[in-house]
């Protein structure tokens, strides 16, 4: 958002700036919108998908949808203003900018929260399988979903209101690191339990050892892909925030600031990949689509 693009004037002569065409940015945003609308529609239509796990996936799709819509909306408004196709007072533009910034920030925070919620849900389903339905009940899921949305709205409002305060930026960066650590610990633990279970089966059926090795490699590849995409898509944005705190005037950091649109593009790419990882792998959801 415009608030986070400051400062970008302190740059050295050898800065590498990756230019993202507006058409590509808008195109990726529209692809993300279509994907996530399909996920929400499929879960809403099929009663077999009305369970806490799919509600978390649906909320993640709504968050990713808001991320894409708000970024596409902001880019469209900026293009219309630059082309002179939309004329309005500066105060109105500023208010519209603040609203879009709150929407973008809130959607990003909620998206990270629901990614963490999905990881926790899957962890409970594996390690507490017999008690899963008594632990993850619909009322508790709704309470968690409501708390995430309320916290996202409040935190995004405070962030946009006090974006130039170091403490606010540090809180956002710490939140990202906490989500990354939480997901890594849970998914690594789940992979370890799955491999241990596969080893037990292999001991009972000695001919199954190659299958066990294949399972371990497949699980490790899936885990690496999941966490790698998460870090690749979100990491640069939060690196940008960290550098705003650590070296806002340094020429080298200024080079990073110039690629802010690239960082937003990576977040939109994450909104495209999330349905492929979390939703479309479900046979029931694919059948509904």
């Amino acid at each position: 958002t415009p608030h986070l693009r400051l400062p970008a004037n302190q740059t050295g002569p050898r800065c590498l700036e990756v230019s993202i065409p507006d058409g590509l940015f808008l195109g990726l945003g529209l692809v993300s919108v279509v994907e996530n609308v399909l996920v929400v529609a499929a879960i809403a239509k099929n009663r077999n998908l009305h369970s806490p796990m799919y509600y978390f996936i649906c909320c993640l799709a709504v968050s990713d949808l808001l991320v894409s819509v708000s970024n596409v909306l902001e880019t469209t408004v900026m293009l219309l203003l630059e082309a002179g196709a939309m004329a309005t007072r500066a105060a109105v533009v500023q208010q519209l900018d603040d609203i879009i910034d709150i929407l973008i920030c809130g959607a990003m925070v909620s998206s990270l929260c629901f990614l963490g919620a999905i990881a926790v849900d899957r962890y409970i389903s594996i390690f507490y399988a017999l008690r899963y339905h008594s632990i993850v009940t619909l009322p508790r899921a709704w309470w968690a979903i409501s708390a995430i949305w309320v916290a996202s709205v409040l935190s995004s409002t405070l962030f946009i209101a006090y974006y130039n305060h170091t403490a606010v930026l540090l809180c956002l960066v710490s939140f990202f690191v906490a989500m990354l650590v939480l997901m890594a610990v849970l998914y690594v633990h789940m992979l370890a339990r799955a491999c241990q279970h596969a080893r037990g089966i292999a001991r009972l059926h000695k001919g199954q050892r190659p299958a066990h090795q294949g399972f371990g490699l497949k699980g490790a590849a899936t885990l690496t892909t999941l966490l790698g995409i998460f870090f690749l898509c979100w990491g640069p944005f939060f690196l940008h925030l960290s550098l705003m705190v650590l070296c806002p005037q340094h020429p080298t950091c200024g080079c990073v600031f110039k690629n802010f649109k690239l960082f937003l593009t990576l977040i939109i790419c994450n909104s495209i990949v999330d349905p492929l990882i979390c939703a479309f792998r479900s046979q029931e959801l694919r059948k509904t689509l």
Side-chain angles (χ1 to χ4, degrees):
T1 63
H3 294 313
L4 301 180
R5 291 184 183 128
L6 299 174
N9 57 342
Q10 299 291 331
T11 58
R14 295 184 180 178
C15 287
L16 175 62
E17 182 178 2
V18 179
S19 177
I20 304 296
D22 292 323
L24 175 61
F25 187 81
L26 294 174
L28 290 173
L30 292 176
V31 170
S32 172
V33 168
V34 171
E35 273 192 2
N36 288 288
V37 165
L38 286 175
V39 172
V40 174
I43 293 175
K45 181 176 178 59
N46 190 342
R47 290 186 176 274
N48 293 332
L49 301 177
H50 292 184
S51 64
M53 179 183 72
Y54 284 104
Y55 284 146
F56 288 134
I57 292 176
C58 183
C59 288
L60 173 63
V62 172
S63 298
D64 288 339
L65 179 64
L66 291 176
V67 168
S68 302
V69 167
S70 53
N71 275 293
V72 167
L73 178 61
E74 182 185 46
T75 301
T76 303
V77 170
M78 290 173 62
L79 290 174
L80 291 174
L81 288 172
E82 290 172 2
M86 186 174 73
T88 184
R89 291 179 299 175
V92 175
V93 173
Q94 183 61 48
Q95 290 177 353
L96 180 62
D97 177 63
D98 289 340
I99 293 172
I100 294 176
D101 288 349
I102 291 173
L103 184 61
I104 292 174
C105 186
M108 289 179 176
V109 171
S110 63
S111 181
L112 289 173
C113 286
F114 285 118
L115 282 170
I118 291 170
V120 171
D121 177 80
R122 290 180 176 176
Y123 183 87
I124 295 174
S125 69
I126 290 177
F127 286 88
Y128 303 93
L130 298 179
R131 297 170 49 205
Y132 173 78
H133 292 291
S134 62
I135 296 174
V136 186
T137 61
L138 276 176
R140 287 177 179 173
W142 283 118
W143 274 109
I145 289 170
S146 301
I148 288 174
W149 283 117
V150 170
S152 299
V153 172
L154 292 177
S155 61
S156 62
T157 303
L158 290 173
F159 173 69
I160 298 304
Y162 302 100
Y163 69 92
N164 55 347
H165 286 66
T166 301
V168 174
L169 297 178
L170 289 177
C171 285
L172 274 177
V173 174
S174 300
F175 171 70
F176 167 73
V177 173
M179 284 294 106
L180 180 62
V181 171
L182 173 68
M183 292 175 62
V185 170
L186 293 182
Y187 281 121
V188 168
H189 198 187
M190 282 186 275
L191 177 61
R193 169 60 67 90
C195 290
Q196 182 183 10
H197 181 67
R199 281 196 298 270
I201 295 176
R203 280 195 294 269
L204 293 175
H205 305 85
K206 303 223 173 160
Q208 298 292 325
R209 189 167 185 81
H212 155 62
Q213 291 176 345
F215 172 82
L217 290 174
K218 183 179 178 181
T222 301
L223 176 65
T224 302
T225 302
L226 182 69
L227 295 178
I229 289 175
F230 177 80
F231 183 76
L232 177 65
C233 292
W234 287 98
F237 174 79
F238 286 94
L239 173 64
H240 179 101
L241 297 185
S242 302
L243 295 181
M244 286 182 64
V245 175
L246 298 174
C247 53
Q249 303 298 329
H250 196 278
T252 303
C253 297
C255 290
V256 176
F257 299 146
K258 293 187 66 138
N259 290 287
F260 184 77
K261 191 170 183 180
L262 172 63
F263 305 155
L264 288 182
T265 304
L266 289 174
I267 290 177
I268 290 182
C269 289
N270 185 79
S271 300
I272 294 174
V273 174
D274 278 345
L276 301 178
I277 295 178
C278 297
F280 292 146
R281 295 177 66 185
S282 165
Q283 185 177 359
E284 184 75 21
L285 193 143
R286 290 200 306 269
K287 193 183 299 182
T288 305
L289 288 174

